[in-house]
Amino acid sequence: MHPNRKPLIAANWKMNDPPVGCYTSDSPFRSLPGVDVWVFLPFIEWYGAHNAGLVYGAQCGRPEPQGAFTGDISMLMLKHQHFHAVLCGHSDRRHFHQESDAFIAEQATAALEVGLIPIVCIGETEAEHDAGKTTDVLKRQLKPVIDVLTAHHSLPTTHFILAYEPVWAISRGDPNKPAATAKDAQDIHARIRSLLPKDRQATTRILYGGSMKGSNAAELLAQPDIDGGLVGGASLKLEDFRKIVEAAESR
Ligand code: PEP
């Protein structure tokens, strides 16, 4: 495994209160020597995370540096408040905010230009999956992102991350929702890797998201092309999240 692909477990708290205990000294939201742990929090939580010394990111960001965009926060503002990374194109944003592939690429560009690490989220819906359109959808979602990478060809590979999140496997609060099987997830991750520019294929981190939890993390994270997880529901349960981080550490 290339050293640039250190496992990363990214917690996505979405629009939820942070779990009790997340800011303590033995919080599982702290990186370990062999695993990066980052928390994608509701904006108003940044100060708590900052004081606790966590590495934190935003769940979205607007490309323009400032202006008449009521309710939004720009990539530049995030950078000023010490955010480390930003999710671009999470399926919730694609669905509830109609974010397009082109706009997501604009966000990734703006993030890179202010020094934030974009985690670009891609993945097919259940209908697309059932219709056998997964590869077509991933190619469509990746195309503008690859253009961004081509325009930033000297960007270190650690400064750009992808997350494959099959929308049909995202729990949305259902703890019994099955994740993709480790084999299927591995196959898709390998396919995504093969679609990246040649000089980035071996070095780009690709996270899996969609009902990763303590009970299935080890199997998913053992796959050669899965470099970590983007974790929603299980990131709200301290001990379940700890198991995921431990699985990544002993990978
Ligand atoms: C997500 O929405 O990013 C996600 C992966 O959620 P969950 O882990 O709950 O499926």
Side-chain angles (χ1 to χ4, degrees):
M1 178 85 54
H2 194 280
N4 282 15
R5 284 164 55 194
K6 182 177 181 183
L8 165 62
I9 303 297
N12 178 9
W13 289 344
K14 308 190 185 186
M15 196 177 72
N16 291 292
D17 291 333
V20 174
C22 63
Y23 297 144
T24 58
S25 57
D26 68 343
S27 159
F29 297 99
R30 297 184 186 281
S31 295
L32 299 177
V35 191
D36 289 332
V37 181
W38 301 349
V39 179
F40 292 81
L41 35 65
F43 294 124
I44 55 170
E45 277 303 316
W46 80 267
Y47 199 61
H50 182 67
N51 282 346
L54 303 190
V55 177
Y56 54 94
Q59 299 171 9
C60 62
R62 183 96 205 168
E64 299 82 356
Q66 56 186 22
F69 299 102
T70 303
D72 281 322
I73 294 198
S74 74
M75 299 294 179
L76 187 62
M77 289 167 164
L78 294 171
K79 183 67 186 170
H80 287 160
Q81 304 307 336
H82 314 288
F83 282 71
H84 186 66
V86 59
L87 301 181
C88 299
H90 187 278
S91 59
D92 288 345
R93 303 288 308 176
R94 290 180 189 263
H95 180 69
F96 293 114
H97 296 264
Q98 290 82 45
E99 291 188 359
S100 66
D101 296 327
F103 183 61
I104 291 158
E106 275 180 52
Q107 292 171 48
T109 301
L112 291 174
E113 287 177 355
V114 301
L116 286 171
I117 298 178
I119 299 187
V120 176
C121 305
I122 57 174
E124 79 284 9
T125 62
E126 185 156 23
E128 291 163 341
H129 180 255
D130 292 350
K133 292 190 179 151
T134 300
T135 304
D136 290 347
V137 170
L138 296 174
K139 279 186 180 164
R140 191 205 73 219
Q141 292 175 334
L142 274 174
K143 164 86 179 65
V145 176
I146 289 172
D147 292 344
V148 171
L149 290 176
T150 307
H152 294 78
H153 55 88
S154 58
L155 182 79
T157 50
T158 46
H159 289 40
F160 173 83
I161 298 171
L162 277 174
Y164 169 58
E165 296 207 299
V167 180
W168 48 269
I170 292 181
S171 75
R172 303 199 59 79
D174 174 1
N176 299 318
K177 187 65 136 343
T181 65
K183 184 188 174 311
D184 288 349
Q186 162 58 26
D187 287 351
I188 304 282
H189 277 238
R191 205 172 309 161
I192 292 169
R193 198 173 291 291
S194 74
L195 296 171
L196 294 177
K198 283 253 166 322
D199 59 341
R200 291 188 180 269
Q201 288 179 1
T203 50
T204 298
R205 286 194 279 194
I206 307 178
L207 314 182
Y208 169 80
S211 297
M212 183 181 275
K213 35 199 163 211
S215 56
N216 62 17
E219 197 187 359
L220 287 162
L221 294 169
Q223 304 307 311
D225 287 294
I226 298 184
D227 302 313
L230 178 53
V231 182
S235 75
L236 299 171
K237 300 177 190 151
L238 217 63
E239 292 316 316
D240 209 29
F241 188 74
R242 195 186 303 279
K243 282 191 197 138
I244 298 174
V245 175
E246 285 170 358
E249 175 79 340
S250 57
R251 182 182 191 229

